[in-house]
């Protein structure tokens, strides 16, 4: 490849120089504006575009320099012009222009080398960042796995003791065990969500998609979240069609999304209110609407709702806990399933979240598109435990 570049640069330069000298010879001893203009343009172009190949730049500038000096010197020699003649002025002008071209070439070369140095520095920083990110991800994943095993055992022991199966408990002991239960659940929720986030970001969250009845999945999710909502004084209501709506989904992952939305809706709704869940079908898509009477989210809250570790109320005094990961994970799951998750502010109080999926007759094409964008590999995923998401994620 390089020999062709050298040959092309040499031919191009020789053509320009030959043409310029030819015009100068035809004109005879005079001010050769046209010839010198062609040489100046060619030399400046070489300075601007040949700095990335030093041999090419040197060859082209050497030929142009020789031509710049040859044309006025030829006139001086042919006419034996005295030092005060206009031909000598043309010679010195040529030298000045040639100096400008060479200085421009040096500036372009310096700028190019600075850019190369900066690009190399960026490559090195990028490589170091990738190594650090990989190390961080592996550390977080390892620590999460290592913490989850003993924490699960601790939670099981606390649950067993709190259940009274080991004997009657004094009131104060029962209170302390209830506090321990809640905190164990929060820690398990955080660990599970961090593991899910790591799986999504690394593309290792796998999906086992099968044709499923969306109405049944919604009913099951509502039933599983109902006890938690009742504890908050919130009622979950449904308006479901009688017919089945088939979709191609990973049932466990979709129920995880529904659990996130339902628990958030219950947490952010005032007591004695209700959350309405509707299922609709049209235009080849199925939609599940979750309408609450909570704080009401605006369009400006989108980044906070679906961001990493972000919460609408991030103050230290907030009353509703959560990791701020649930909705981000839900959004990524829906994208991987070929669907979407959005929300709109209600005309009155509250927000309506909308989960949309292609129905079975169009699901295959759209799902493949969604999965290819996230490239989930073959690695089998761990069983999804909804208890890790039933009430502890938040916007």
């Amino acid at each position: 490849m390089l020999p062709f570049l050298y040959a092309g640069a040499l031919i191009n330069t020789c053509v320009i120089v030959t043409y310029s000298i030819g015009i100068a010879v035809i004109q005879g001893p005079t001010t050769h504006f046209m010839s010198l203009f062609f040489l100046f343009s060619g030399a400046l172009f070489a300075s601007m575009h040949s700095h990335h190949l030093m041999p090419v730049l040197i060859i082209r500038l050497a030929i142009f320099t020789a031509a710049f000096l040859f044309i006025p010197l030829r006139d001086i020699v042919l006419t034996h012009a005295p030092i005060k003649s206009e031909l000598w002025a043309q010679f010195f002008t040529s030298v000045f222009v040639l100096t400008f071209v060479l200085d421009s070439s040096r500036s372009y070369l310096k700028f190019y080398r600075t850019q190369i140095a900066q690009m190399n520095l960026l490559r090195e920083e990028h490589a170091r960042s990738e190594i650090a990110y990989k190390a961080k991800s592996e550390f977080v994943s390892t620590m999460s796995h290592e913490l989850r095993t003993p924490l699960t055992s601790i939670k099981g022991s606390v649950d067993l003791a709190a259940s009274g199966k080991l004997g009657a408990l004094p009131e104060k002991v029962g209170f302390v065990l209830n506090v321990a239960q809640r905190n164990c659940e929060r820690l398990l929720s955080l660990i599970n969500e961090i593991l899910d986030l790591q799986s999504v970001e690394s593309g290792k969250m796998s999906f086992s998609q099968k044709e499923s009845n969306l109405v049944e999945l919604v009913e099951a999710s509502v039933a599983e979240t109902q006890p938690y909502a009742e504890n908050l004084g919130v009622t979950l209501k449904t308006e479901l069609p009688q017919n089945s709506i088939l979709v191609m989904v990973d049932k466990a992952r979709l129920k995880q999304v529904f659990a996130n939305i339902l628990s958030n809706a219950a947490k952010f709704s005032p007591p004695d209110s209700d959350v309405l869940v509707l299922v609709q079908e049209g235009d080849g898509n199925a939609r599940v609407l979750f309408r609450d009477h909570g704080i009401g989210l605006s369009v400006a809250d989108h980044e906070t709702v679906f961001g990493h570790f972000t919460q609408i109320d991030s103050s230290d005094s907030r009353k509703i806990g959560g990791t701020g990961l649930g909705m981000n994970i839900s959004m990524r799951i829906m994208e991987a399933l070929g669907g979407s998750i959005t929300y709109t502010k209600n005309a009155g109080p509250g927000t309506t979240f909308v989960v949309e999926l292609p129905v079975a007759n169009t699901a295959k094409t759209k799902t493949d598109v969604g999965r290819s964008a996230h490239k989930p590999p073959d690695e089998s995923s761990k069983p999804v435990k909804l208890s890790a998401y039933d009430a502890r994620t938040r916007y």
Side-chain angles (χ1 to χ4, degrees):
M1 187 65 181
L2 284 177
F4 289 104
L5 288 175
Y6 294 153
L10 181 62
I11 294 172
N12 176 270
T13 304
C14 289
V15 169
I16 296 174
V17 168
T18 302
Y19 180 73
S20 300
I21 292 176
I23 293 176
V25 170
I26 294 173
Q27 288 178 334
T30 183
T31 54
H32 302 287
F33 173 79
M34 184 180 295
S35 298
L36 294 178
F37 174 77
F38 278 124
L39 291 175
F40 171 74
S41 300
L44 190 60
F45 182 86
S47 300
M48 293 174 62
H49 298 283
S50 299
H51 50 263
H52 55 288
L53 289 174
M54 279 299 296
V56 174
L57 178 63
I58 293 172
I59 291 172
R60 299 186 75 176
L61 289 182
I63 295 174
F64 282 123
T65 299
F68 257 113
L69 298 177
F70 172 77
I71 291 175
L73 285 176
R74 176 180 176 276
D75 291 347
I76 292 173
V77 171
L78 290 177
T79 60
H80 302 286
I83 191 69
K84 293 182 180 181
S85 70
E86 187 178 348
L87 295 178
W88 277 98
Q90 180 176 265
F91 171 76
F92 290 123
T93 301
S94 298
V95 172
F96 171 77
V97 172
L98 184 61
T99 304
F100 170 78
V101 170
L102 294 176
D103 188 61
S104 298
S105 177
R106 183 185 63 82
S107 298
Y108 283 119
L109 182 61
K110 182 179 178 181
F111 178 71
Y112 171 72
R113 287 175 173 173
T114 301
Q115 284 187 315
I116 291 296
Q118 290 176 342
M119 288 178 63
N120 290 334
L121 183 61
L122 285 174
R123 288 193 187 98
E124 293 175 0
E125 290 295 329
H126 179 67
R128 283 196 289 267
S129 298
E130 284 189 331
I131 293 172
Y133 179 79
K134 183 178 179 181
K136 183 269 297 181
S137 299
E138 291 177 351
F139 172 77
V140 171
S141 180
T142 301
M143 289 301 297
S144 298
H145 280 291
E146 293 298 323
L147 287 172
R148 185 168 59 176
T149 301
L151 186 57
T152 301
S153 177
I154 293 171
K155 183 179 181 300
S157 300
V158 172
D159 290 343
L160 182 62
S163 67
K165 293 181 180 180
L166 300 181
L169 298 174
E171 183 178 349
K172 291 184 179 180
V173 174
F175 175 78
V176 171
L177 286 176
N178 287 332
V179 173
Q181 277 183 301
R182 290 196 299 271
N183 283 283
C184 284
E185 289 175 352
R186 290 180 63 186
L187 285 174
L188 279 174
S189 172
L190 175 60
I191 291 171
N192 286 332
E193 288 180 338
I194 289 176
L195 288 173
D196 273 348
L197 182 63
Q198 292 294 324
S199 297
V200 170
E201 290 185 340
S202 63
K204 293 181 179 180
M205 178 178 279
S206 62
F207 296 84
S208 177
Q209 294 182 254
K210 298 179 181 178
E211 192 172 79
S212 306
N213 185 354
L214 181 62
V215 177
E216 292 180 354
L217 292 177
V218 172
E219 285 181 321
S221 298
V222 170
E224 291 168 1
T225 313
Q226 189 75 55
Y228 171 73
E230 289 177 353
N231 288 336
L232 296 174
V234 177
T235 304
L236 302 183
K237 297 181 178 180
T238 59
E239 290 185 9
L240 307 177
Q242 296 297 319
N243 60 299
S244 299
I245 300 177
L246 301 180
V247 290
M248 291 293 294
V249 294
D250 184 311
K251 295 171 64 174
R253 292 299 181 186
L254 186 59
K255 289 177 70 176
Q256 179 179 334
V257 173
F258 291 163
N260 278 326
I261 299 174
L262 287 168
S263 61
N264 281 334
K267 282 188 292 185
F268 286 93
S269 293
D272 300 322
S273 65
D274 58 71
V275 175
L276 180 61
V277 183
L278 306 95
V279 177
Q280 301 172 347
E281 181 182 7
D283 300 326
N285 289 319
R287 284 171 290 277
V288 185
L289 288 73
F290 303 84
R291 187 172 299 153
D292 63 46
H293 294 83
I295 57 178
L297 299 170
S298 66
V299 176
D301 296 322
H302 186 274
E303 293 298 322
T304 304
V305 172
F306 294 107
H308 286 162
F309 298 103
T310 53
Q311 302 168 330
I312 294 299
D313 179 12
S314 58
S315 63
D316 292 337
S317 60
R318 66 179 186 271
K319 297 180 180 180
I320 304 175
T323 62
L325 288 173
M327 294 309 296
N328 180 271
I329 295 171
S330 297
M331 178 187 68
R332 292 169 181 259
I333 289 174
M334 290 308 304
E335 290 174 352
L337 292 176
S340 64
I341 177 171
T342 57
Y343 70 85
T344 57
K345 192 177 186 304
N346 297 340
T351 307
T352 298
F353 273 82
V354 182
V355 172
E356 188 167 356
L357 284 163
V359 295
N361 59 337
T362 57
K364 185 175 181 180
T365 301
K366 295 186 178 182
T367 299
D368 289 344
V369 172
R371 286 173 63 83
S372 63
H374 289 262
K375 299 179 182 177
D378 297 335
E379 181 182 328
S380 59
S381 60
K382 58 181 177 58
V384 177
K385 296 182 179 180
L386 288 175
S387 59
Y389 296 90
D390 58 358
R392 292 168 293 282
T393 57
R394 65 162 286 140
Y395 299 119

